[in-house]
Amino acid sequence: MTAGEMVAATVPMVRTLNLEFLESTAERAVVRLPDQTDFHNHVGGPHAGAMFTLAESASGAIVIAAFGDQLTRAVPLAVKAEIGYQKLAMGDVTATATLGRPAAEVVAELDEGKRPEFPVSIRIQRADGAVTGEMTVVWTLRPNA
C-alpha cells in the first residue's frame, strides 16, 4: 500500500473530497482536488476549507512515506498549520508537499528519545500552473508510551 493509499484508507475526509494521490514518496507528495461543485465557494472555485484539507493531506502523505517505518514506535501528529491564499483557485487544484528537514535528522532525534518536530511545505496550484496558495504544517513524531 502506498503512503497515499494509506492516508485515503485511514482519513475519511480524504475520501469525502475525492482527493487523488498522484505521487507519494519520501521526497514529494502530489495530491489533486478535482473540481466539484459540492465543494465550491461563493465565487465558483474550491472552498478554502477544501484547499486546506488538500494541502494537509499532501503533507500527511509525505510524512507517511518518509516515516512509515517508524509507525511501530511513534505516531505522526500535525502540531500547527499556516496557510496563505494568494490567487483565485478555479477548477482542479493540486498540492505538492516537501519535507523541510532531512528525514534522517528527524529519526535521529526520535532515537535520542525526543519528540521531533519538522515542517512540511505545500504549494497549491491551478491547472495552468499558477500558485494559488502556500501552506506549512509542522508535524511531530510522538513516541508511543
Side-chain angles (χ1 to χ4, degrees):
M1 179 180 288
T2 69
E5 291 168 341
M6 182 181 259
V7 172
T10 58
V11 181
M13 189 64 174
V14 167
R15 296 187 306 277
T16 297
L17 289 177
N18 301 304
L19 299 183
E20 300 169 0
F21 291 81
L22 306 178
E23 183 179 338
S24 52
T25 68
E27 289 74 41
R28 182 172 106 132
V30 182
V31 183
R32 185 172 80 96
L33 172 65
D35 186 28
Q36 302 164 85
T37 56
D38 285 348
F39 305 117
H40 281 179
N41 58 22
H42 61 290
V43 293
H47 187 277
M51 289 192 296
F52 182 99
T53 301
L54 167 69
E56 196 274 342
S57 298
S59 77
I62 199 169
V63 168
I64 295 300
F67 302 107
D69 60 339
Q70 304 299 317
L71 296 181
T72 57
R73 66 183 188 136
V75 176
L77 298 169
V79 175
K80 62 183 173 181
E82 183 175 336
I83 191 165
Y85 301 102
Q86 300 166 355
K87 289 187 179 198
L88 184 62
M90 297 298 281
D92 295 350
V93 288
T94 303
T96 302
T98 55
L99 282 179
R101 288 180 62 196
E105 187 179 286
V106 174
V107 172
E109 284 185 20
L110 189 61
D111 290 342
E112 294 169 4
K114 297 178 182 175
R115 183 175 168 165
E117 289 189 1
F118 53 95
V120 175
S121 299
I122 308 99
R123 186 179 64 253
I124 305 168
Q125 293 176 274
R126 297 186 305 225
D128 67 3
V131 175
T132 64
E134 292 182 314
M135 181 174 182
T136 300
V137 180
V138 175
W139 285 83
T140 189
L141 295 179
R142 186 194 73 201
N144 295 334

